[in-house]
């Protein structure tokens, strides 16, 4: 009887009083403009004509502009072109897919031998855990913590395990020498002192003397004891630093840990739902003309990033530089309308720009411009003018970061 009652209720013709019926054509999803906007293509065509009058081939200028529901402008937009550091958008997508926003890379420190009267009678061992942003400040707080654990002198060697990297130095032994220098204030250069003075809540400077040499091994030796684990910045902070300064070393470190450029391209194309032929990568940084991405694929990657971030407490401005907000990095001297999260890209004959515009009329609009020409500064200025012309056509709404854009290096709480 209960089942029959529920069955009858589910199929009654009477509408629920708490769920008003809305005609389908009035539903909010159908209020988003799906029609073309011819004026956008007019603005782009005028931009291309200006380039043509300067002798640049319009067939080598890739442009794609779209909203969620409509393609608004296209010039060679489906053709892969040298995208320079727009490649880092793909690296960002793949990194988030592999590790997640809040992932931290772990650097583990071991001892080989006993600690007596402040002296480690053996070796100090540092195991690389993938941190692409281990810099002077991180080494200083690491040294401070080691002294808190009672180590003032190391009689043995400093042994680095794996592909240890510090200050973007790819040679593990050289990175080890940098760490050895950072652990002993008496060996500090002017640059280290400057970085130390700029630290917030800076600890006492470490004074750890290492008598032995720097050596490298591929695995942690036997008879070791774990002293401490140093956690990196979050992946969100690492990616923002990578994109704001277009740091090739960070990008390549992340890409190599994921299997290289081709693997990054494969992940990005699947997530962005574009053909693999439109994202062709040899590395994760964008260095070299062999890294090729179509403007359409760039926009689709930006769209997929926004989808990925929908259920988080950040937006795309927390991962990329934002015009008018970031006072350093690749957008420092650009004249771009306020509040546009974007990524720049530069090679000797390539100037690229892509980002997300929040508008009153079209919600979010995604654009990618890949220019081919030798006068990079002039191309940048013309890209800025193009965005200014689009701002006159639409009403832009700043899309600002939700988190602090100031990254705190050398936080002793991460030991």
């Amino acid at each position: 009887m209960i089942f029959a009652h529920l069955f009858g209720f589910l199929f009654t013709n009477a509408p629920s009083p708490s769920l008003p019926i809305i005609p389908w054509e009035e539903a909010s999803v159908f209020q988003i403009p799906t029609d073309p906007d011819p004026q956008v293509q007019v603005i782009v065509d005028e931009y291309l004509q200006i380039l043509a009058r300067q002798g640049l081939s319009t067939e080598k200028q890739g442009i794609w502009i779209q909203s969620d529901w409509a393609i608004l402008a296209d010039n060679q937009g489906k053709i892969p072109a040298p995208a320079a550091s727009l490649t880092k958008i793909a690296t960002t997508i793949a990194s988030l897919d592999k590790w997640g926003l809040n992932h931290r890379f772990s650097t583990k420190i071991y001892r080989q031998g006993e600690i007596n009267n402040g002296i480690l009678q053996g070796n100090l061992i540092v195991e690389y855990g993938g941190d692409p942003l281990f810099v002077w400040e991180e080494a200083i707080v690491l040294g401070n913590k080691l002294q808190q654990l009672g180590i003032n002198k190391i009689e043995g060697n400093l042994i680095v395990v794996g592909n240890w990297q510090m200050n973007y130095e790819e040679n593990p032994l050289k990175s080890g020498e940098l760490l050895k220098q950072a652990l002993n204030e008496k060996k500090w250069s002017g640059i280290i002192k400057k970085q130390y003075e700029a630290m917030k809540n800076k600890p006492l400077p470490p004074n750890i003397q290492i008598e032995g040499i720097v050596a490298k091994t591929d695995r942690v030796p036997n008879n070791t004891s774990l002293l401490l684990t140093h956690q990196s910045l979050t992946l969100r902070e690492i990616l923002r630093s990578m994109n704001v300064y277009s740091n090739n070393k960070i990008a390549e470190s992340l890409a190599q840990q994921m299997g290289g450029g081709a693997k990054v391209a494969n992940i990005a194309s699947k997530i962005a739902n574009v053909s693999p032929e439109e994202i062709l990568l040899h590395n994760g940084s964008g260095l070299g003309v062999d890294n090729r991405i179509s403007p359409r694929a760039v926009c689709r990657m930006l769209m997929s990033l926004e989808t990925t971030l929908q259920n988080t407490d950040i937006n795309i401005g927390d991962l990329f530089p934002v015009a008018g907000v970031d006072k350093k990095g690749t957008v420092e001297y650009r004249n771009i309308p306020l509040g546009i999260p974007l990524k720049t890209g530069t090679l000797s004959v390539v100037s690229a720009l892509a980002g997300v515009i929040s508008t009153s009329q079209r919600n979010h609009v995604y654009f990618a411009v890949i220019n081919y020409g030798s006068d990079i500064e002039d191309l940048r200025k013309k890209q800025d003018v193009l965005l200014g012309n689009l701002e006159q056509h639409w009403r832009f709404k700043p899309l600002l970061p939700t988190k602090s854009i100031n990254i705190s290096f050398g936080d002793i709480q991460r030991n």
Side-chain angles (χ1 to χ4, degrees), residues 181-205:
Q181 181 183 12
L183 296 180
N184 189 348
E185 183 192 15
K186 295 177 182 178
K187 303 291 184 180
W188 283 7
S189 64
I191 293 176
I192 305 176
K193 293 176 182 177
K194 182 179 179 181
Q195 296 301 104
Y196 173 73
E197 291 302 325
M199 290 174 65
K200 295 181 180 179
N201 303 316
K202 53 181 175 284
L204 291 173

Side-chain angles (χ1 to χ4, degrees), residues 3-59:
F3 177 81
H5 176 74
L6 289 174
F7 189 86
F9 176 78
L10 289 172
F11 284 85
T12 181
N13 291 326
S16 169
S18 62
L19 296 173
I21 295 177
I22 301 174
W24 69 267
E25 69 274 12
E26 294 181 14
S28 59
V29 68
F30 294 103
Q31 304 305 308
I32 301 173
T34 59
D35 56 309
D37 186 341
Q39 184 58 30
V40 178
Q41 187 67 57
V42 170
I43 293 171
V44 168
D45 288 342
E46 291 174 350
Y47 170 78
L48 292 169
Q49 289 170 14
I50 292 172
L51 297 181
R53 287 196 291 269
Q54 293 183 205
L56 299 180
S57 171
T58 58
E59 294 183 357

Side-chain angles (χ1 to χ4, degrees), residues 246-268:
S246 208
N247 189 299
N248 295 323
K249 298 289 189 178
I250 295 176
E252 196 52 31
S253 174
L254 294 172
Q256 287 302 314
Q257 292 182 65
M258 290 183 282
K263 182 65 175 178
V264 168
N266 181 260
I267 296 171

Side-chain angles (χ1 to χ4, degrees), residues 11-244:
F11 284 85
T12 181
N13 291 326
S16 169
S18 62
L19 296 173
I21 295 177
I22 301 174
W24 69 267
E25 69 274 12
E26 294 181 14
S28 59
V29 68
F30 294 103
Q31 304 305 308
I32 301 173
T34 59
D35 56 309
D37 186 341
Q39 184 58 30
V40 178
Q41 187 67 57
V42 170
I43 293 171
V44 168
D45 288 342
E46 291 174 350
Y47 170 78
L48 292 169
Q49 289 170 14
I50 292 172
L51 297 181
R53 287 196 291 269
Q54 293 183 205
L56 299 180
S57 171
T58 58
E59 294 183 357
K60 293 185 177 181
Q61 316 305 321
I63 300 176
W64 186 271
I65 303 176
Q66 75 166 94
S67 65
D68 286 319
W69 296 89
I71 299 169
L72 305 173
D74 172 21
N75 186 76
Q76 309 287 16
K78 301 176 185 178
I79 300 175
S85 283
L86 299 190
T87 298
K88 294 182 177 71
I89 300 174
T91 302
T92 298
I93 288 176
S95 297
L96 291 175
D97 180 68
K98 180 173 178 63
W99 292 295
L101 277 170
N102 297 315
H103 176 78
R104 295 180 188 270
F105 298 92
S106 298
T107 299
K108 294 183 177 181
I109 312 298
Y110 303 83
R111 65 175 172 83
Q112 212 175 23
E114 299 300 321
I115 302 172
N116 291 310
N117 298 319
I119 299 174
L120 172 57
Q121 298 170 324
N123 301 318
L124 187 73
I125 298 152
V126 181
E127 183 182 20
Y128 177 65
D131 186 354
L133 202 48
F134 192 97
V135 290
W136 292 122
E137 296 93 328
E138 306 299 302
I140 289 170
V141 297
L142 178 62
N144 176 272
K145 186 64 176 180
L146 288 173
Q147 285 202 281
Q148 289 182 35
L149 295 175
I151 299 176
N152 297 313
K153 181 179 179 181
I154 298 166
E155 287 186 338
N157 300 324
L158 174 62
I159 301 176
V160 297
V161 180
N163 189 29
W164 167 250
Q165 295 180 21
M166 175 172 167
N167 287 345
Y168 317 121
E169 172 56 60
E170 296 176 356
N171 185 308
L173 289 175
K174 290 183 179 179
S175 287
E177 293 290 352
L178 294 174
L179 178 60
K180 183 178 180 180
Q181 181 183 12
L183 296 180
N184 189 348
E185 183 192 15
K186 295 177 182 178
K187 303 291 184 180
W188 283 7
S189 64
I191 293 176
I192 305 176
K193 293 176 182 177
K194 182 179 179 181
Q195 296 301 104
Y196 173 73
E197 291 302 325
M199 290 174 65
K200 295 181 180 179
N201 303 316
K202 53 181 175 284
L204 291 173
N207 286 287
I208 300 176
Q209 179 184 350
I210 301 177
E211 293 191 341
I213 63 171
V214 175
K216 179 186 179 298
T217 183
D218 292 329
R219 61 185 61 185
V220 177
N222 296 325
N223 304 318
T224 61
S225 298
L226 181 66
L227 279 170
L228 65 92
T229 299
H230 175 77
Q231 300 287 334
S232 73
L233 294 161
T234 64
L235 182 63
R236 175 187 68 82
E237 294 170 309
I238 291 171
L239 290 174
R240 192 167 207 282
S241 183
M242 175 188 79
N243 288 319
V244 167

